[in-house]
Amino acid sequence: MTRPRPNRRSGCPVSVSLEILGDRWSLLIVRDMMVRAFRTFKQFQGSGEAIATNILADRLRKLEAAGIIVRERNPSDSRSIAYRLTQKGIDLAPVLLELLIWGARHEETDAACAAIDVMAQNRAAILDEVRRRWQQGDPNALQVDGEWRLPF
Amino acid sequence: MTRPRPNRRSGCPVSVSLEILGDRWSLLIVRDMMVRAFRTFKQFQGSGEAIATNILADRLRKLEAAGIIVRERNPSDSRSIAYRLTQKGIDLAPVLLELLIWGARHEETDAACAAIDVMAQNRAAILDEVRRRWQQGDPNALQVDGEWRLPF
DNA sequence: CCGGATCCGTTTCGATACTG
DNA sequence: CAGTATCGAAACGGATCCGG
């Protein structure tokens, strides 16, 4: 006899957004897809943050249910499954960018201060590049010569 | 015999930010302070989202430990305790604004679509107003004639 | 192998009752 | 008013197992 957990939240946008994204992993998965071009279960597993496989599976399901990602099976190789961001998912880029700038400014992170200032002053250009890469249908990671261009 | 929960996270800014803010309540508390000018424990309790008192106490402690808010005791009335955003907390305004715009665009919320378009095109002005109100030391809620000016 | 599902111990959450 | 105390429910983390 398990009662469903009550969810007495207001309909304010921030509240509704946090209902989906308000945990430690969901936005991180979206970031990995967006700027590192991760597409498979395996890639997320080894992303350096060591998410448990059951949690990862759960989050991928929830993100799919929320319409943020889609799950696709490779027709030629049925073993291979790939996840892809939807437009709704790509639209999280501004949230991630602001979170990045805030963290880099106020927390101890690996990002160089100078790089952050540059990013903060070029928000629009960065977001344009992310959108362009994804709408071309070939979302390469935001890296140049094997190095992350941005310290996401 | 309680082992501390392992926290094997990268030092990337987004990851570090989510370590502090990656739950369903922290950002909501910051929003209530920022746009509704909530300052007391009691106000947060009745914010319409029905946070449990022990969770609220825990989040306020964690936000204080992270330097996002400060806890102040009224010298004249020692029973009265007020919380206030620090600069680090005010700097979360862009994150909240992007989260608001995303939620309003893509989720069922109480916010009118037209209002969101206006906000999305006036990000800078909105953030300026938030900062100005807070730096005056008298952070009034973002409301006019008792109505919320913005559908946060 | 890949993409999970299952099991189990630990941690956190949520609701309510209670207190200085 | 501003929180604790308590306790059952849910989420998490690690390890292992499994089907294609």
Side-chain angles (χ1 to χ4, degrees):
Chain A
M1 193 54 68
T2 57
R3 283 177 308 172
R5 172 174 278 188
N7 205 346
R8 214 178 302 163
R9 303 204 128 217
S10 75
C12 289
V14 173
S15 183
V16 172
S17 302
L18 288 173
E19 210 164 325
I20 306 168
L21 304 168
D23 71 284
R24 292 197 269 318
W25 297 112
S26 297
L27 275 173
L28 227 43
I29 292 172
V30 173
R31 180 208 61 180
D32 281 342
M33 299 186 75
M34 197 178 299
V35 306
R36 300 184 178 174
F38 283 5
R39 280 185 284 249
T40 68
F41 195 95
K42 186 76 179 299
Q43 285 178 306
F44 294 120
Q45 256 188 93
S47 82
E49 330 262 355
I51 184 172
T53 62
N54 54 345
I55 304 296
L56 176 55
D58 179 73
R59 291 303 181 277
L60 288 171
R61 243 182 288 113
K62 283 181 177 166
L63 287 172
E64 191 190 2
I68 292 169
I69 65 177
V70 284
R71 188 186 137 106
E72 295 169 326
R73 192 177 293 272
N74 189 333
S76 60
D77 180 5
S78 69
R79 287 181 313 178
S80 153
I81 288 176
Y83 296 90
R84 189 168 46 80
L85 286 175
T86 62
Q87 185 61 48
K88 184 174 175 179
I90 297 166
D91 285 352
L92 281 170
V95 177
L96 285 168
L97 180 57
E98 295 301 337
L99 215 44
L100 160 67
I101 291 171
W102 182 85
R105 280 244 172 86
H106 292 287
E107 297 291 326
E108 291 287 325
T109 72
D110 296 343
C113 294
I116 299 307
D117 289 341
V118 171
M119 296 184 62
Q121 281 161 15
N122 293 285
R123 287 173 161 92
I126 291 167
L127 294 176
D128 278 346
E129 183 168 350
V130 170
R131 286 191 204 99
R132 189 170 49 74
R133 287 181 183 236
W134 276 86
Q135 277 157 14
Q136 282 175 352
D138 180 26
N140 294 307
L142 292 175
Q143 52 180 6
V144 174
D145 298 331
E147 291 286 317
W148 303 119
R149 264 198 61 199
L150 305 173
F152 278 86
Chain B
M1 193 54 66
T2 58
R3 284 177 307 174
R5 171 173 278 188
N7 204 347
R8 214 179 301 162
R9 304 203 128 215
S10 75
C12 290
V14 174
S15 184
V16 172
S17 301
L18 288 173
E19 211 163 324
I20 307 169
L21 304 169
D23 71 284
R24 293 197 263 326
W25 297 112
S26 297
L27 275 173
L28 227 41
I29 292 171
V30 173
R31 180 208 61 180
D32 281 342
M33 299 186 75
M34 198 177 297
V35 306
R36 301 183 176 174
F38 284 3
R39 320 187 65 153
T40 67
F41 195 95
K42 186 73 179 300
Q43 286 178 307
F44 294 120
Q45 258 190 91
S47 83
E49 329 264 354
I51 184 172
T53 61
N54 53 347
I55 303 298
L56 175 56
D58 178 74
R59 291 304 179 277
L60 288 171
R61 243 182 286 115
K62 283 181 177 163
L63 288 171
E64 190 190 4
I68 291 169
I69 64 177
V70 285
R71 189 186 136 106
E72 297 169 324
R73 192 179 293 272
N74 188 332
S76 60
D77 178 6
S78 70
R79 288 180 314 176
S80 153
I81 288 176
Y83 295 92
R84 190 168 46 80
L85 287 174
T86 62
Q87 184 61 48
K88 183 174 176 180
I90 296 166
D91 285 351
L92 282 170
V95 177
L96 285 168
L97 181 57
E98 295 301 338
L99 215 44
L100 160 67
I101 291 170
W102 182 85
R105 279 244 173 86
H106 292 287
E107 297 292 326
E108 291 288 325
T109 70
D110 296 344
C113 295
I116 299 307
D117 289 341
V118 171
M119 295 184 62
Q121 281 161 15
N122 293 285
R123 286 172 162 90
I126 292 166
L127 295 176
D128 277 347
E129 182 167 350
V130 169
R131 285 191 205 100
R132 189 171 47 76
R133 287 180 183 236
W134 277 86
Q135 277 156 15
Q136 282 175 352
D138 180 27
N140 295 308
L142 292 174
Q143 52 180 6
V144 174
D145 298 332
E147 291 287 315
W148 301 119
R149 264 198 60 200
L150 305 173
F152 277 86

